[in-house]
Amino acid sequence: MIAQLFNYVHPLSRMLRRRKRYYRQQALPSKIGHLVSLPNITHSTLVSEVEYLVLDIETTGLDPNQDNILSIGWVVVAKGCIEVNSSYHCYIKDNVQVKPETAVINHITPNMLAKGISIQSAMNQLFRAARNRVLVAHCSAIESAFILRYLTKFYGLSSLPLLWLDTLQIEKNLATAINRHQKIDVELTATRSRYCLPEYVSHNALTDALSTAELLLAQIRRVQGNKPVALGMLYSLSEVK
């Protein structure tokens, strides 16, 4: 009885029920309906049995209501491996004005954007790639906010219960589990260095997606030790405490 109650109130179980209700109640276009219909997953599903789409979005700023997407990159993680041949990167050409302050960081120029694709084409490809996969990002609140802004603008949706893992929040919660007063640098580069992962040039969407994918696998190895890890545990570590 206690185990059943624990399973019912688990954060991932609550999210999966929310997604199921949303899917039944909303008439969603086929292009995005599958984003909330991830099949055959429970809080006890092993992380090794799930596929992940690890992504990064470069933007002109952090406000999705005022800023725009400049580029998107992603890669698939499946069966504990990064599928490099699944990697994808694109620039967005939709009359986006590059801000000098962000160009200094991500080095994206108007010439790069001019050779890009439309935001609709990019998002349609992203949504296809996300089919039957859990989304992953480092500080997923940014990617989530810009994706929701797109869904609001083009589909009139004010919410969509996407299933995310956040490697930044996982790292923060792992640190506070050891020492709740401990403060660490959880930026992607600093976090990777603690796992002795190689240093990459950051703020390229595909490079950051690959960097995050490597970090995710390192964090899973840290959590699992000698026994398999359930997706529910990783999802709990992804939550803001």
Side-chain angles (χ1 to χ4, degrees):
M1 185 68 173
I2 294 177
Q4 289 178 329
L5 179 61
F6 174 81
N7 295 341
Y8 185 81
V9 300
H10 191 280
L12 181 55
S13 298
R14 294 200 305 268
M15 168 56 83
L16 293 173
R17 289 197 300 274
R18 179 185 169 200
R19 286 161 61 88
K20 186 178 292 186
R21 287 194 302 269
Y22 189 95
Y23 184 73
R24 289 174 175 172
Q25 294 170 2
Q26 297 287 334
L28 297 173
S30 58
K31 289 182 180 179
I32 60 174
H34 64 273
L35 295 176
V36 290
S37 61
L38 198 66
N40 302 324
I41 282 184
T42 70
H43 78 281
S44 60
T45 299
L46 299 181
V47 295
S48 59
E49 298 172 345
V50 181
E51 292 193 0
Y52 308 88
L53 188 74
V54 187
L55 67 144
D56 181 78
I57 296 176
E58 294 296 316
T59 67
T60 59
L62 299 179
D63 185 349
N65 294 312
Q66 299 183 12
D67 294 303
N68 297 291
I69 296 174
L70 297 174
S71 65
I72 306 175
W74 64 75
V75 67
V76 172
V77 171
K79 297 180 180 179
C81 296
I82 298 171
E83 297 185 347
V84 178
N85 61 351
S86 71
S87 61
Y88 179 83
H89 180 263
C90 66
Y91 293 106
I92 308 302
K93 68 177 182 180
D94 295 351
N95 298 317
V96 176
Q97 296 297 315
V98 174
K99 293 181 179 180
E101 59 269 30
T102 56
V104 170
I105 297 173
N106 55 40
H107 307 293
I108 296 176
T109 67
N111 287 339
M112 293 176 180
L113 299 180
K115 299 175 183 177
I117 62 177
S118 69
I119 186 63
Q120 292 94 330
S121 177
M123 284 296 183
N124 286 341
Q125 292 186 63
L126 173 61
F127 295 155
R128 284 195 295 271
R131 182 181 293 273
N132 294 336
R133 292 173 176 138
V134 174
L135 298 173
V136 182
H138 195 73
C139 191
S140 63
I142 296 174
E143 279 74 15
S144 177
F146 277 90
I147 291 173
L148 180 57
R149 175 58 182 159
Y150 172 84
L151 293 170
T152 301
K153 180 177 180 181
F154 289 95
Y155 292 97
L157 298 174
S158 59
S159 65
L160 191 69
L162 300 177
L163 187 57
W164 287 93
L165 293 180
D166 187 340
T167 53
L168 181 151
Q169 197 61 45
I170 289 172
E171 190 67 15
K172 185 180 294 186
N173 287 330
L174 285 173
T176 55
I178 299 172
N179 180 353
R180 66 188 183 92
H181 300 295
Q182 183 179 12
K183 293 183 179 180
I184 60 171
D185 186 347
V186 290
E187 289 188 359
L188 183 56
T189 299
T191 302
R192 284 175 55 85
S193 70
R194 286 193 293 275
Y195 290 86
C196 299
L197 295 170
E199 184 176 349
Y200 297 149
V201 176
S202 58
H203 298 295
N204 170 278
L206 179 54
T207 302
D208 283 356
L210 287 165
S211 297
T212 302
E214 290 179 349
L215 175 59
L216 174 69
L217 293 177
Q219 290 175 327
I220 290 172
R221 284 194 295 271
R222 176 183 176 184
V223 172
Q224 69 183 11
N226 296 321
K227 54 185 179 180
V229 174
L231 181 63
M233 175 181 286
L234 215 56
Y235 184 81
S236 294
L237 286 170
S238 290
E239 288 200 310
V240 177
K241 305 298 185 184

